[in-house]
Amino acid sequence: MMARTGRPRSAEADAAILDATREALVEQGWGGLTMADVAARAGVAKTTLYRRWANRNELVVDALGALFDELRMPDHGTLAADIEDVVLQFAALLDRPEVRTALMAVIAESSHDEGLRRRVRTAIVDRQKRLVVLGRHRAQRRGEIPPDDGTAATRAQVDLVFDVVAGAVVHRILVSGERVDAAWAAALSGLLREGLAGGRGGLGGGREGLGGGREGLGGGR
Amino acid sequence: MMARTGRPRSAEADAAILDATREALVEQGWGGLTMADVAARAGVAKTTLYRRWANRNELVVDALGALFDELRMPDHGTLAADIEDVVLQFAALLDRPEVRTALMAVIAESSHDEGLRRRVRTAIVDRQKRLVVLGRHRAQRRGEIPPDDGTAATRAQVDLVFDVVAGAVVHRILVSGERVDAAWAAALSGLLREGLAGGRGGLGGGREGLGGGREGLGGGR
Amino acid sequence: MMARTGRPRSAEADAAILDATREALVEQGWGGLTMADVAARAGVAKTTLYRRWANRNELVVDALGALFDELRMPDHGTLAADIEDVVLQFAALLDRPEVRTALMAVIAESSHDEGLRRRVRTAIVDRQKRLVVLGRHRAQRRGEIPPDDGTAATRAQVDLVFDVVAGAVVHRILVSGERVDAAWAAALSGLLREGLAGGRGGLGGGREGLGGGREGLGGGR
Amino acid sequence: MMARTGRPRSAEADAAILDATREALVEQGWGGLTMADVAARAGVAKTTLYRRWANRNELVVDALGALFDELRMPDHGTLAADIEDVVLQFAALLDRPEVRTALMAVIAESSHDEGLRRRVRTAIVDRQKRLVVLGRHRAQRRGEIPPDDGTAATRAQVDLVFDVVAGAVVHRILVSGERVDAAWAAALSGLLREGLAGGRGGLGGGREGLGGGREGLGGGR
DNA sequence: TATTAAACGAGACGGTACGTCGTGTCTTCGA
DNA sequence: TCGAAGACACGACGTACCGTCTCGTTTAATA
């Protein structure tokens, strides 16, 4: 079904190109990144890049995605400790200059390029999200949080936690320009733990409190 | 003090350029935005753009900043309602196509351009942050949250709330690509209310379950 | 007849502008000459330049023309000596850097600008040609050459001599890039003397050896 | 000796560009000539122009030089007839609108650009000069003029004749703005023939005749 | 082992935007 | 009213990158 003949593609070239891309991002930044420069650093012809990636954006997404693949969900025995660990891992990743300069750029580009959006989702977003899902399962097995009841509210809670954790870390590092240290990670973890527990089923349990009803919101104290 | 001679700059041109910039962003996206196109839309020469802004990035930051200037802190009587209102305002802003396509792009560029970073801070970030500060003051006057005690922990809490709120909204809309509706805003607000209240006024106060990292943050109590 | 009101134009400004034009030509060459630079050197606003000259070309023609005004027809007592003197004067003029760089340029521009062509003619060409006419008259008074007989051939000879003398000097200096010294001037003068004498008073009188083309020019005899 | 790799340059592009340059010169004149227009006419990208020529001046010199390459030295059997033929060829060349508008311009530019001066010399001046040298050899073989004696005077005479012929034609057409017809060519040819023959060994050798000796000038009648 | 077809390097190519510069006009203020 | 200062619309400049296209040269599977 597929061509079996001819010279096969070089696997070394792939790795060299991704490495060169990250190296160039560190030195030149997103705006200064050029395909010719990447090719030269990788010791490869421009043609070879375009044979594998359609354009600069897709190349960068893959180069970044490889880094996100290294994220690991630890098991420290408590949800809070697990969250803090992941937050710090994520922060360390965002602190890398190639990520700082390129992550938001490809997300911006993806806002008007559906193909790129899909690639960002599979290469980057889903690789983060699975940590949230995994951490949640572990916490449920430990009994720290109630098990899934299969409602939409459950899925909504996963999404909310994901957006809060990832969003807060991204915002602090890339927008506010502040460092994420253990203290900050603990603070965020604490906020989440109380927020989720305090909700007594909270959001996700999604009952009365959701959807506009906020009769109790804040009035609780 | 400064030169008073020569033909003064046209104030109309400034407004026309910023309008044209937003219009072009809507139609062409960040990647398709060109200075020549903006100039043509504004009925102005390219020179006139470059006389006011050093480059495309700074122009776009100012064009976006003007939108963030329209954010208002309402007074609904409760912190939760105030937060939800602001979250929805912010979400509406991020839903505008010119913001979706360009906000993350300029933040990415700012990661290796200190001047641009400052401009982003004053034109965009600080305009959001003052809402958090104002909302916090109101809630303190209402007695919903304890007054500032002047510690670093207090300032840290403001920063954390800001990063969580803004980060979550940005992440949900731009990264996850989901809509922010009243239900989601209420859920986020609830998470924050419980998270802040549960902490006994203190992030970092995090107790037993926390990883331990709280060297100084939580000392505020 | 003319408006007498308002501030009168500065006569000093005119001289300063022409001086500045020549100075700028020396330093920047024709291609590097800018109106703004001329204005700055003259201590004058660009407006003032454009109030007096319609464009760069006309300004330069006048700036060069002033130099050609200094050409003088001496009276050494013989035609040959007079020619040599004028040739050397002309050569000295063409050796000035502002003339080298700009004379051919304005002539080139004049090829598709009738107004400029007229200005070149009156400011530059006619100022050279009158020397030929004057020298011819003197030589006729001395009896070195026959008096005008009013025929077209007479006028044609004046033109031919003018084109040969001016053209040869211009070509040697600007095209061939060689110097004009007394020996060369004498050689040119000698060629002309023999050429005119040999012709038996007649260009076009050319006999047997000539190609045949003489339909009317030589009819002067 | 040189790199043999990569895609070779298109020879068609070269020809198309030079043609387009002459075409644009005819329609727009020297001042209206733009690289973008030439590229568009040639169906070529601007980059391709700049890959071959450093700037507009060098491009135009080559475009004009190709025309001067077509000059031919005929053999009519007499020096006079040969001169007239060449003069008319040269005049026809200078009458072409692309040459009228651009030749003096590039010569002007060459006055402060040594590289351009060299290019003008090889592409234009030397192509004319070889005709003088060739015509002189033929006339010597015919016995019309004495053979070279190897002195500097001989070389000086070649140069003088060249400057006189080329200079006179250029000056008449471009400066005086008059046409060159057979009659004028014959008159110039006659002047030269007599001037060279009358000199008895001509200029350079010419001593006594110089400076003061002009006893016979015009006295021929 | 020879064939063969794709991968590869090099670099020219058609495009497009960049940011700068010069032109000639205009608008303001002060002399 | 003139002049200085300088903003303005316009348009060309020469550069840089894009992504595509030839070239001639490897290189591994296949026949």
Side-chain angles (χ1 to χ4, degrees):
Chain A
M1 77 171 41
M2 55 170 299
R4 304 299 312 283
T5 177
R7 177 175 173 177
R9 288 196 183 166
S10 160
E12 294 175 21
D14 287 69
I17 291 168
L18 292 175
D19 285 347
T21 302
R22 285 185 289 264
E23 184 183 303
L25 279 174
V26 171
E27 293 180 23
Q28 316 291 146
W30 162 263
L33 183 77
T34 73
M35 296 299 260
D37 181 39
V38 170
R41 286 171 189 268
V44 140
K46 256 198 315 175
T47 325
T48 303
L49 266 69
Y50 283 106
R51 210 171 276 124
R52 291 161 163 77
W53 291 275
N55 53 52
R56 188 170 74 142
N57 291 332
E58 307 212 339
L59 169 61
V60 171
V61 169
D62 282 8
L64 294 186
L67 298 178
F68 283 82
D69 208 20
E70 297 167 6
L71 289 175
R72 290 288 172 265
M73 185 75 226
D75 190 344
H76 292 289
T78 66
L79 176 58
D82 288 355
I83 291 177
E84 287 170 48
D85 188 316
V86 167
V87 162
L88 289 172
Q89 278 187 63
F90 189 38
L93 204 54
L94 290 183
D95 245 342
R96 298 179 64 139
E98 62 270 41
V99 179
R100 297 175 75 105
T101 198
L103 180 60
M104 290 300 103
V106 295
I107 285 168
E109 297 286 333
S110 78
S111 81
H112 47 90
D113 177 342
E114 185 50 37
L116 187 63
R117 170 179 291 278
R118 275 195 303 274
R119 201 168 194 128
V120 168
R121 187 175 305 276
T122 60
I124 297 180
V125 177
D126 287 350
R127 282 178 174 159
Q128 296 170 58
K129 201 160 196 172
R130 69 181 159 75
L131 301 187
V132 175
V133 173
L134 179 56
R136 180 180 174 82
H137 283 160
R138 286 195 185 143
Q140 287 171 332
R141 278 204 299 273
R142 292 189 204 111
E144 290 179 291
I145 57 174
D148 280 3
D149 54 6
T151 61
T154 294
R155 288 196 303 278
Q157 193 181 47
V158 171
D159 288 346
L160 177 65
V161 171
F162 176 52
D163 286 328
V164 166
V165 172
V169 175
V170 166
H171 200 269
R172 178 164 178 90
I173 293 183
L174 299 183
V175 180
S176 297
E178 308 276 354
R179 290 199 54 79
V180 166
D181 54 16
W184 190 88
L188 176 61
S189 170
L191 181 75
L192 273 172
R193 190 197 49 191
E194 300 294 335
L196 295 177
R200 275 311 124 240
L203 60 148
R207 249 153 326 276
E208 69 293 347
L210 281 184
R214 66 202 58 104
E215 50 290 335
L217 241 190
R221 183 58 12 75
Chain B
M1 159 164 309
M2 54 166 300
R4 305 298 309 284
T5 179
R7 177 174 172 174
R9 291 198 182 164
S10 160
E12 295 174 21
D14 285 72
I17 291 167
L18 292 175
D19 287 347
T21 301
R22 285 185 290 264
E23 186 183 301
L25 279 174
V26 171
E27 294 179 23
Q28 317 291 148
W30 163 262
L33 183 75
T34 73
M35 296 300 261
D37 181 40
V38 170
R41 286 171 189 270
V44 140
K46 249 194 320 173
T47 323
T48 301
L49 266 69
Y50 283 106
R51 205 173 282 120
R52 291 161 162 76
W53 291 277
N55 52 54
R56 187 169 76 141
N57 292 332
E58 308 213 338
L59 169 61
V60 171
V61 169
D62 283 7
L64 295 186
L67 297 179
F68 283 82
D69 209 21
E70 296 167 7
L71 290 175
R72 291 286 171 265
M73 184 76 226
D75 190 343
H76 293 289
T78 67
L79 175 58
D82 288 355
I83 290 177
E84 287 171 45
D85 188 317
V86 167
V87 162
L88 289 172
Q89 278 187 64
F90 189 38
L93 204 54
L94 290 184
D95 246 343
R96 298 179 64 140
E98 62 269 42
V99 179
R100 295 175 78 103
T101 197
L103 180 60
M104 289 301 102
V106 294
I107 285 169
E109 297 287 334
S110 79
S111 82
H112 48 90
D113 178 342
E114 185 50 38
L116 187 63
R117 170 179 291 279
R118 277 195 301 273
R119 202 166 193 129
V120 167
R121 187 175 305 277
T122 61
I124 297 180
V125 177
D126 287 349
R127 282 177 174 161
Q128 297 171 57
K129 201 160 197 172
R130 69 181 159 75
L131 301 187
V132 175
V133 173
L134 179 55
R136 180 180 174 81
H137 282 161
R138 286 196 186 143
Q140 287 171 332
R141 279 205 300 273
R142 292 190 202 109
E144 290 179 291
I145 57 174
D148 280 4
D149 54 8
T151 62
T154 294
R155 289 195 302 279
Q157 193 182 47
V158 171
D159 287 347
L160 176 65
V161 169
F162 176 54
D163 286 327
V164 166
V165 172
V169 175
V170 165
H171 200 268
R172 178 166 178 87
I173 293 182
L174 299 183
V175 180
S176 297
E178 309 276 353
R179 293 198 52 79
V180 165
D181 53 17
W184 190 89
L188 176 61
S189 170
L191 180 76
L192 274 172
R193 184 197 53 186
E194 299 295 334
L196 295 177
R200 288 297 142 256
L203 64 150
R207 270 144 321 282
E208 66 292 345
L210 287 181
R214 71 210 50 124
E215 15 331 61
L217 244 188
R221 166 109 34 65
Chain C
M1 97 174 13
M2 55 171 299
R4 305 298 311 284
T5 173
R7 178 171 169 178
R9 287 194 182 168
S10 159
E12 294 174 20
D14 287 71
I17 292 167
L18 292 175
D19 286 347
T21 302
R22 286 184 290 263
E23 186 183 303
L25 279 174
V26 171
E27 293 179 22
Q28 317 291 147
W30 163 262
L33 183 77
T34 73
M35 296 299 259
D37 181 38
V38 170
R41 286 171 190 270
V44 140
K46 257 200 310 176
T47 326
T48 304
L49 266 69
Y50 282 105
R51 210 171 277 125
R52 290 162 164 77
W53 290 275
N55 52 54
R56 188 171 73 142
N57 291 332
E58 307 213 338
L59 168 62
V60 171
V61 170
D62 282 8
L64 293 185
L67 297 178
F68 283 82
D69 209 20
E70 296 168 6
L71 289 175
R72 290 287 173 263
M73 184 75 226
D75 190 342
H76 292 289
T78 66
L79 177 55
D82 288 355
I83 291 176
E84 288 170 44
D85 188 317
V86 167
V87 162
L88 290 172
Q89 278 188 65
F90 189 38
L93 204 54
L94 291 184
D95 246 343
R96 299 178 65 140
E98 63 269 41
V99 178
R100 296 174 77 104
T101 198
L103 180 60
M104 290 300 103
V106 294
I107 285 170
E109 297 287 333
S110 78
S111 82
H112 47 89
D113 178 342
E114 186 49 38
L116 187 63
R117 171 180 289 280
R118 277 195 301 274
R119 201 167 193 127
V120 167
R121 187 174 304 277
T122 60
I124 297 180
V125 177
D126 288 349
R127 282 178 174 159
Q128 296 170 58
K129 201 160 197 173
R130 69 180 160 76
L131 300 187
V132 175
V133 173
L134 179 56
R136 180 179 175 81
H137 283 162
R138 286 195 185 144
Q140 287 169 332
R141 276 206 301 273
R142 291 190 203 109
E144 288 180 292
I145 57 175
D148 281 3
D149 55 6
T151 61
T154 294
R155 287 195 303 278
Q157 193 181 44
V158 171
D159 288 346
L160 176 64
V161 170
F162 176 53
D163 285 329
V164 166
V165 172
V169 174
V170 165
H171 200 268
R172 178 165 179 88
I173 294 182
L174 299 183
V175 181
S176 297
E178 309 276 355
R179 293 198 52 80
V180 165
D181 53 16
W184 190 88
L188 177 61
S189 170
L191 181 75
L192 275 172
R193 184 197 54 186
E194 298 295 334
L196 295 176
R200 287 299 138 251
L203 62 148
R207 269 145 322 282
E208 67 292 348
L210 287 181
R214 71 209 54 124
E215 20 324 68
L217 245 188
R221 165 106 36 67
Chain D
M1 158 143 327
M2 55 165 303
R4 304 300 310 282
T5 179
R7 178 173 172 175
R9 290 199 181 164
S10 160
E12 294 175 22
D14 285 71
I17 291 167
L18 292 175
D19 286 346
T21 302
R22 286 185 289 264
E23 185 184 302
L25 278 174
V26 171
E27 293 179 24
Q28 317 291 145
W30 163 262
L33 183 76
T34 72
M35 297 299 260
D37 181 41
V38 170
R41 286 171 188 267
V44 140
K46 248 196 320 173
T47 324
T48 302
L49 267 70
Y50 284 106
R51 205 173 281 120
R52 291 160 163 74
W53 291 277
N55 52 55
R56 188 169 76 141
N57 292 331
E58 306 212 339
L59 168 61
V60 171
V61 169
D62 282 8
L64 294 185
L67 298 179
F68 283 83
D69 209 21
E70 297 167 5
L71 289 175
R72 290 287 172 265
M73 185 74 227
D75 190 342
H76 292 291
T78 67
L79 175 58
D82 287 356
I83 292 177
E84 287 170 49
D85 189 316
V86 167
V87 162
L88 289 173
Q89 279 187 64
F90 189 39
L93 205 53
L94 292 184
D95 245 343
R96 297 178 65 139
E98 63 269 42
V99 179
R100 295 176 77 103
T101 196
L103 181 61
M104 288 301 103
V106 293
I107 286 170
E109 297 287 334
S110 79
S111 81
H112 47 91
D113 178 343
E114 184 50 37
L116 188 63
R117 170 179 290 279
R118 276 195 301 274
R119 203 167 192 127
V120 167
R121 187 175 305 277
T122 59
I124 298 181
V125 177
D126 288 349
R127 282 178 174 160
Q128 297 170 56
K129 201 160 196 172
R130 67 180 161 75
L131 301 187
V132 175
V133 172
L134 179 56
R136 180 180 174 80
H137 282 161
R138 288 198 184 139
Q140 287 169 332
R141 279 206 299 272
R142 289 190 204 109
E144 291 180 289
I145 56 175
D148 280 3
D149 55 6
T151 62
T154 294
R155 289 195 303 278
Q157 194 181 44
V158 171
D159 287 347
L160 177 64
V161 170
F162 177 53
D163 285 328
V164 166
V165 173
V169 175
V170 165
H171 199 268
R172 177 164 179 90
I173 294 182
L174 298 183
V175 181
S176 297
E178 309 276 354
R179 292 196 53 79
V180 165
D181 54 16
W184 189 88
L188 176 60
S189 170
L191 181 75
L192 275 172
R193 189 196 50 187
E194 298 295 334
L196 295 178
R200 282 305 129 247
L203 64 151
R207 210 116 358 257
E208 72 294 345
L210 285 181
R214 69 220 50 130
E215 49 292 330
L217 238 192
R221 173 70 27 66

